[in-house]
Amino acid sequence: MKYKLFCVDLDGTLLTDQKEIDGKDIEALRKASKQGVKIALITGRMPAATDRIVRNLAIPCIRACNAGTYILKDERCIHTEYLSVETMTEIYERVRDFGIPLWIFRGRQWYVTSKDAFVYTEEGLIDHMAEETSVEALAKKWRREQTGPNKLLIGAEPLIVQNVYAVLRDRQDADMACSSENYLEIFPKGMNKGKALRVICEKEDIQIQETAAFGDQELDIPMIEAAGTAIAMGNAIEELKQKADYITKTNNEAGIAYAIEYFLNS
């Protein structure tokens, strides 16, 4: 198989539990890039949270950020999708009952309705500060501009996340999935990492069968299902493993390098 695109999730996939990249994974992705394989980082992270990763890889990377709703190539946005202001406002009203902030993403911006331990931890991890604001202020501004957020996020203890998920999961105006037990990501209806993969293929003139995708969590399942070759990390949730063509080693064992070596040499 001649691969032309590798789509790689970050947290729990390319990144170790210590939020670093194993040197073997860097070497393998650089080798693939030199052989003409395009590398797409398809992640729930905002662009600022991927900058250090791209610098460490030191290869051209397409970045599908905010759960694929904001796609960058060479720092230029090539695709974006938005939730409506009404959806954002209604979700906030439901989330507020749980006493937790709502995280709001649009393009390169990160807003929160208040700051708690989860926000402070994320700010430290990505070295980027969230802007504290109100949903009302954003709604007024974005109605005037006829736009909205790319993504909303709930960051909380696992039980709270699951309770919020239960309240919101039947909405008809948004899709959602967990990127970890602490994070629920909410994005425009019909938009997910699988669609991001297909958009990138269309933009780059790549056939689906020429792609491989690496993931570990619920948020990655549409990407795994869309790819020509579906690769589950050894630490992936069971539902994703059941959909995979191949299960590699864990994110702490250079699982990406292990799989790339297998597929590029097979």
Side-chain angles (χ1 to χ4, degrees):
M1 167 70 73
K2 172 62 174 176
Y3 288 98
K4 293 186 178 179
L5 177 67
F6 285 159
C7 295
V8 182
D9 169 56
L10 296 183
D11 295 280
T13 300
L14 177 61
L15 299 181
T16 67
D17 291 348
Q18 287 71 44
K19 303 301 180 183
E20 301 295 336
I21 311 175
D22 190 291
K24 293 178 182 177
D25 285 341
I26 293 175
E27 184 180 346
L29 287 169
R30 287 177 179 173
K31 179 180 177 181
S33 181
K34 286 180 181 179
Q35 292 182 11
V37 180
K38 294 182 184 295
I39 309 300
L41 307 179
I42 304 187
T43 176
R45 288 182 171 223
M46 63 180 293
T50 67
D51 289 340
R52 178 178 63 87
I53 295 163
V54 172
R55 287 196 299 269
N56 287 346
L57 291 175
I59 54 175
C61 293
I62 297 168
R63 290 187 281 174
C65 299
N66 296 339
T69 60
Y70 186 68
I71 304 177
L72 295 168
K73 181 181 181 183
D74 301 325
E75 300 304 316
R76 177 176 58 87
C77 178
I78 60 173
H79 185 82
T80 188
E81 297 196 18
Y82 304 103
L83 287 157
S84 72
V85 167
E86 290 70 29
T87 296
M88 175 183 70
T89 303
E90 290 173 12
I91 288 175
Y92 174 62
E93 292 299 324
R94 305 301 298 274
V95 169
R96 188 162 55 180
D97 295 338
F98 291 89
I100 57 175
L102 182 65
W103 302 17
I104 305 164
F105 298 88
R106 184 178 185 278
R108 295 181 176 275
Q109 300 303 120
W110 173 26
Y111 305 96
V112 293
T113 55
S114 62
K115 294 192 178 185
D116 64 2
F118 284 92
V119 174
Y120 291 128
T121 297
E122 185 70 11
E123 287 179 330
L125 284 173
I126 68 174
D127 193 25
H128 185 86
M129 302 293 287
E131 180 180 338
E132 194 169 347
T133 188
S134 70
V135 166
E136 292 78 14
L138 289 178
K140 181 178 180 181
K141 179 177 185 291
W142 288 343
R143 280 195 182 97
R144 186 169 61 248
E145 297 173 354
Q146 296 185 321
T147 187
N150 295 123
K151 185 188 79 167
L152 308 175
L153 185 142
I154 305 301
E157 297 296 338
L159 181 58
I160 294 176
V161 168
Q162 287 306 311
N163 287 338
V164 173
Y165 202 169
V167 168
L168 298 178
R169 71 167 71 244
D170 293 330
R171 292 191 68 92
Q172 299 302 304
D173 55 355
D175 284 334
M176 58 199 73
C178 287
S179 54
S180 80
E181 64 179 4
N182 294 114
Y183 297 107
L184 175 64
E185 318 236 359
I186 305 164
F187 31 87
K189 190 71 176 178
M191 184 63 206
N192 53 49
K193 286 190 175 187
K195 183 174 179 181
L197 182 151
R198 292 189 292 271
V199 167
I200 293 168
C201 284
E202 181 180 343
K203 299 285 186 181
E204 299 297 313
D205 194 24
I206 294 170
Q207 300 299 310
I208 289 291
Q209 61 267 26
E210 298 172 321
T211 70
F214 303 76
D216 72 305
Q217 284 289 335
E218 181 188 20
L219 189 65
D220 303 317
I221 288 175
M223 177 174 71
I224 291 294
E225 292 177 327
T229 301
I231 303 169
M233 303 303 292
N235 53 288
I237 61 173
E238 191 59 34
E239 183 181 0
L240 189 143
K241 285 181 176 179
Q242 290 175 1
K243 296 176 181 293
D245 299 308
Y246 181 81
I247 300 174
T248 187
K249 294 183 178 181
T250 73
N251 62 317
N252 294 321
E253 300 172 305
I256 287 179
Y258 187 83
I260 287 177
E261 183 68 19
Y262 176 84
F263 282 103
L264 286 187
N265 292 330
S266 62

